[in-house]
Amino acid sequence: MALIDLDKVGLTFRVRTYGRITFKEYLVKGMFRRRATQTMEVRALDDITLRLGEGDRIGIIGANGAGKSTLLRVLAGVYQPTAGRRTVVGKIASLFEITLGFEMEANGWENIGFRGYFQGETPRTLRDKVAQIAEFSELGDFLNMPLRYYSAGMLVRLAFSIATTIQPEILIVDEVLSAGDLAFQCKARARIEQLFDHARLVVMVSHDLQSIASLCNRVILLDHGRIRQIGPAAQVIATYEQQAHAPELKAA
Amino acid sequence: MVAYLADIWRLRYFWSSLVRIDLRNRYRRSVLGIGWSLLHPILMTAVLCAVFCPLFRIDYRQFAPYLLAGLAFWNFLVTTSTNGCHCFFQGEAYIRQQAAPLVIYPLRTVLGTAIHGLAAMSVVLIFTWCMNGFGNLPALISLVPSLTLIFLLGWSLALCFGITNVIFQDTQHLTEVLFQILFYLTPVMYPSKLLAERRMDWLVRYNPLASFLELVRVPILEGQLPPWSAFATALGTVLVLMTAGAIAVSRLERRLIFYL
């Protein structure tokens, strides 16, 4: 059973507008006002109502800063919504900013352990998967090296291999199809397709409209933190393309 | 509550492997390795003994184990608190990746320092054993609950300092100053009897940290069970700090990420 239910979800970030406050300001403002640090509110998500269920393959598209990654993090439970309600049934695995959360001093094998254990694996369940991960990453002897010495592409290979070998019920991915070199991209795409077949519910963010069109059955178009359109891939992508070309048309 | 604890347990392989890598990183390319955390209190003790034994007119056989035990506890306390300030920043990448109980990050800190603390404690035991003979076994067994209390003290301190530091970043500097001050207010390197002679024993009586020192010192140095009052004070302190930590976590568990 896999289910994600968002009911009128909103998320407002409070961002400190400047990093340093002097002690004098702190004292003065602290005495006369309630809040000493000046904050700016950013409404990242607004009034999002979604019901995703078994078998859904959801693509999220939208311009930079539309709230795509924030929405994924809310779905994954990393961010708690500041308004509305979020209900999730099922075990989630998420694949965000892929190189995040590696211990750079440890070698590849050890990092497979950290990542795996973090997602709730035990040494026993992980044992069989380690070989698969190593094989898929094609890193070979580099796995014995501390991650400090890895190139960006190698890190991506490792992260991708770990995250996709553990088979979740709900898979949440952020822009991973551009991982690694060309050969690895083909492999990664095949792996993602395979994951799409196995996971019960998938949500992905991508700027690669072609893969969105071929992988997803429903697409969400986000615009300034709101859902602008939700529906079949072809239709929503058409709206998105129109929106992207609108400034050009206006200029012409 | 139970579900929360179960979650911590479910992730036990995660935080324990992080502790292991922390230990290894700390002594990467070091010849002595963990020997450094043993050597440090021994050297300090040697120097302090050379200065204070003649000054206080105390026998070094008494004073050296007294100092070693005090420094072992104090070093644990200070490193746990100062490292604890950074625990959530250290785990930021994981916090941004997936929702997991926040207390595992201070747990990572305190487990690391506790291993060093245990090593230092075993030095104290061996040292005392060599100098003054093997102590009283039941008294030594009382160290088990005492050290558990000290561990919980460290965990809740790391948690409280960690959370405070995320919201108010000057905490890390304040912590250093605070413990520097407390070091002189707590009978770590001077005998507490000296205070009683000068009518300054209130300093010890109202200082909860002095009770923890008693819990460690009395069984090792005097071969007796620590007084119940010390145990009660220590337990009370730990309970207060744990409650404070629990309240902070329950209020900030899901919101801390916005401050990182």
Side-chain angles (χ1 to χ4, degrees), chain A residues 11 13 16 26 73 77-80 94 96 100-101 103 105-106 110 114 117-120 122-123 148, chain B residues 10-11 13-14 17-18 21 24-25 28-29 93-100 108 167 254 257-259:
Chain A
L11 184 71
F13 288 107
R16 290 180 206 187
Y26 191 84
R73 287 205 158 83
V78 173
Y79 289 153
Q80 181 88 340
S94 44
F96 304 132
L100 209 65
E103 294 293 321
E105 296 296 337
E110 291 164 327
F114 299 148
Y117 297 148
F118 192 42
Q119 300 188 343
T122 62
R148 225 149 37 95
Chain B
R10 190 176 58 85
L11 289 173
Y13 298 108
F14 173 63
S17 52
L18 283 182
I21 191 81
R24 222 186 49 201
N25 281 347
R28 204 162 46 97
R29 296 185 204 163
Y94 298 108
I95 297 174
R96 287 194 183 284
Q97 195 76 216
Q98 188 183 318
R108 168 190 187 177
I167 292 163
R254 298 267 62 91
I257 188 170
F258 298 127
Y259 294 96

Side-chain angles (χ1 to χ4, degrees), chain A residues 19 37 83 91 97 126 146 188 193 248:
Chain A
T37 41
K91 199 179 142 204
E97 292 162 53
L126 195 64
E193 277 166 17
E248 270 173 53

Side-chain angles (χ1 to χ4, degrees), chain B:
Chain B
M1 178 71 183
V2 176
Y4 194 78
L5 292 177
D7 245 9
I8 301 173
W9 181 245
R10 190 176 58 85
L11 289 173
R12 62 193 177 282
Y13 298 108
F14 173 63
W15 43 260
S16 60
S17 52
L18 283 182
V19 171
R20 221 171 302 142
I21 191 81
D22 284 346
L23 283 180
R24 222 186 49 201
N25 281 347
R26 186 159 164 202
Y27 297 114
R28 204 162 46 97
R29 296 185 204 163
S30 146
V31 183
L32 266 184
I34 199 164
W36 279 114
S37 58
L38 308 180
L39 202 62
H40 177 249
I42 294 178
L43 287 176
M44 278 286 281
T45 303
V47 173
L48 288 172
C49 261
V51 177
F52 287 122
C53 280
L55 197 69
F56 296 149
R57 297 198 197 85
I58 317 175
D59 182 12
Y60 75 93
R61 281 164 186 279
Q62 267 185 349
F63 197 51
Y66 180 91
L67 270 176
L68 264 182
L71 288 173
F73 169 74
W74 195 258
N75 283 341
F76 167 75
L77 195 69
V78 174
T79 45
T80 306
S81 304
T82 46
N83 293 353
C85 282
H86 305 287
C87 67
F88 294 113
F89 290 112
Q90 199 186 13
E92 185 178 351
Y94 298 108
I95 297 174
R96 287 194 183 284
Q97 195 76 216
Q98 188 183 318
L102 276 185
V103 295
I104 62 173
Y105 302 103
L107 181 61
R108 168 190 187 177
T109 305
V110 72
L111 279 173
T113 48
I115 289 169
H116 288 101
L118 275 182
M121 276 311 290
S122 49
V123 171
V124 180
L125 284 173
I126 295 167
F127 196 78
T128 324
W129 193 2
C130 293
M131 279 185 134
N132 305 331
F134 190 76
N136 179 8
L137 193 64
L140 289 181
I141 288 172
S142 82
L143 281 176
V144 176
S146 301
L147 292 182
T148 312
L149 267 185
I150 291 175
F151 176 80
L152 290 175
L153 172 79
W155 192 2
S156 34
L157 276 178
L159 174 63
C160 292
F161 282 122
I163 288 184
T164 320
N165 192 44
V166 168
I167 292 163
F168 185 63
Q169 298 234 340
D170 295 31
T171 308
Q172 44 183 320
H173 308 290
L174 281 173
T175 311
E176 282 169 29
V177 178
L178 177 76
F179 277 101
Q180 194 75 58
I181 294 169
L182 281 176
F183 180 73
Y184 293 106
L185 291 180
T186 311
V188 180
M189 62 162 193
Y190 49 82
S192 44
K193 282 177 195 122
L194 223 63
L195 292 177
E197 287 163 18
R198 287 172 176 73
R199 294 219 187 135
M200 282 175 70
D201 46 343
W202 52 270
L203 210 59
V204 178
R205 208 178 310 136
Y206 299 114
N207 182 351
L209 291 177
S211 306
F212 286 97
L213 280 171
E214 255 189 299
L215 286 187
V216 177
R217 277 169 173 163
V218 173
I220 298 179
L221 307 179
E222 297 168 26
Q224 283 167 359
L225 287 174
W228 284 110
S229 60
F231 206 79
T233 314
L235 186 66
T237 313
V238 168
L239 285 179
V240 167
L241 281 170
M242 279 175 77
T243 316
I247 291 171
V249 160
S250 68
R251 293 195 56 184
L252 284 166
E253 177 79 42
R254 298 267 62 91
R255 285 196 294 137
L256 195 79
I257 188 170
F258 298 127
Y259 294 96
L260 283 174

Side-chain angles (χ1 to χ4, degrees), chain A residues 183-235:
Chain A
F184 193 75
Q185 268 182 37
C186 297
K187 235 176 115 175
R189 182 184 292 266
R191 170 65 74 93
I192 283 278
E193 277 166 17
Q194 183 199 331
L195 273 177
F196 267 65
D197 293 339
H198 285 93
R200 296 179 161 176
L201 173 53
V202 186
V203 185
M204 72 179 285
V205 161
S206 184
H207 284 294
D208 179 359
L209 297 179
Q210 269 183 349
S211 22
I212 292 262
S214 66
L215 288 170
C216 303
N217 59 1
R218 277 164 87 197
V219 175
I220 299 169
L221 174 59
L222 279 183
D223 189 20
H224 292 96
R226 289 171 161 270
I227 295 182
R228 174 133 178 233
Q229 194 181 5
I230 177 164
Q235 208 179 325

